[in-house]
Amino acid sequence: MDWDWTYTGDILPDLLDGLRLTVTATVLGYLIAVVLGLVWTLLRRTPSRVVNGAVRWITEFIRSTPLLVQLFFIYYVLPTWGITLGALTAGIIGLGLHYSTYTAEVYRGGIADVPRGQWEAAVALNLPRPRVWFDVILPQAVRRVLPTLGNYLIAMFKDSPLLLAINVTELLAAAYKAGSHSLRFLEPITLVGVLFVLVSVVSSILVRLLETRTHATD
């Protein structure tokens, strides 16, 4: 089958709209993941064995089940319990919740890498516990793990086509829709691959620059 440049130009605006939805879902889902991941991490460090155990069980369960199953549950099962969400909202929550369990482990590793002397100095100064965390420990821990957190942003972007399963017209869904109408899939699917590569490569370069800058200031 020959490449049709006219057809490519016709479907490109729809694919770019799909890309916009893909990026929106990824960015908003990522914001949920980095915030909720930090919450999971802090809850894991509470003195309460009940809270610690519950959070550990929840995060392990989420991390051990497929993202696609979680998306189906949020979009199709929750309405039977009276919780109805739009497709895009459900996709954003699903991505954020799933990846929060991975960012939680990243934060946990970053906190473990903070020198013990920093904790001892904070205790010696008799700083309140909230100040120890938010003024001393977390700024150092987050700075150490920024490149890894950036890698999860790229991974989430590459998992975003799964939103097709819950009727979000993201990039792959837009390509499938265009191909179904014309019965030509060469151009739309190829463009999907090209757009994903372009965005992923640019994101990877930015993450590498961030990693270089982080190491340079250590």
Side-chain angles (χ1 to χ4, degrees):
M1 182 182 293
D2 295 330
W3 186 274
D4 189 335
W5 286 105
T6 301
Y7 174 58
T8 301
D10 291 339
I11 65 174
L12 186 58
D14 291 335
L15 296 186
L16 292 178
D17 282 341
L19 178 62
R20 178 181 56 80
L21 273 182
T22 297
V23 172
T24 298
T26 301
V27 171
L28 294 180
Y30 183 72
L31 291 176
I32 293 174
V34 295
V35 173
L36 186 56
L38 182 58
V39 172
W40 293 136
T41 301
L42 295 178
L43 289 176
R44 282 288 306 273
R45 298 184 68 93
T46 59
S48 172
R49 295 181 62 183
V50 174
V51 173
N52 193 315
V55 171
R56 181 178 180 180
W57 186 88
I58 292 171
T59 55
E60 286 291 337
F61 178 81
I62 294 173
R63 191 162 51 243
S64 300
T65 52
L67 172 58
L68 183 59
V69 173
Q70 294 167 18
L71 291 172
F72 272 115
F73 183 86
I74 293 171
Y75 187 64
Y76 292 111
V77 178
L78 287 185
T80 64
W81 298 345
I83 304 174
T84 302
L85 300 171
L88 181 59
T89 301
I92 291 169
I93 292 174
L95 286 171
L97 181 62
H98 184 79
Y99 273 90
S100 71
T101 60
Y102 293 96
T103 59
E105 290 301 307
V106 174
Y107 285 127
R108 192 158 70 93
I111 291 171
D113 284 342
V114 174
R116 184 172 182 82
Q118 297 292 316
W119 295 90
E120 295 171 348
V123 172
L125 292 172
N126 200 28
L127 293 177
R129 190 171 182 83
R131 284 200 61 191
V132 172
W133 276 106
F134 293 102
D135 292 346
V136 179
I137 303 303
L138 287 180
Q140 297 183 66
V142 171
R143 183 161 159 262
R144 294 167 184 268
V145 300
L146 276 177
T148 306
L149 291 176
N151 289 333
Y152 277 115
L153 173 62
I154 299 171
M156 184 184 293
F157 174 69
K158 290 189 289 187
D159 273 347
S160 62
L162 291 175
L163 301 185
L164 167 66
I166 58 172
N167 302 319
V168 177
T169 312
E170 44 71 57
L171 181 54
L172 183 60
Y176 181 77
K177 183 177 180 181
S180 298
H181 287 164
S182 64
L183 298 181
R184 290 184 63 94
F185 286 94
L186 173 62
E187 292 86 353
I189 298 302
T190 301
L191 285 176
V192 167
V194 170
L195 290 172
F196 264 101
V197 168
L198 288 175
V199 175
S200 296
V201 167
V202 171
S203 301
S204 297
I205 292 172
L206 293 176
V207 170
R208 295 289 83 78
L209 290 174
L210 177 62
E211 184 175 4
T212 301
R213 184 174 179 180
T214 300
H215 288 165
T217 55
D218 283 344

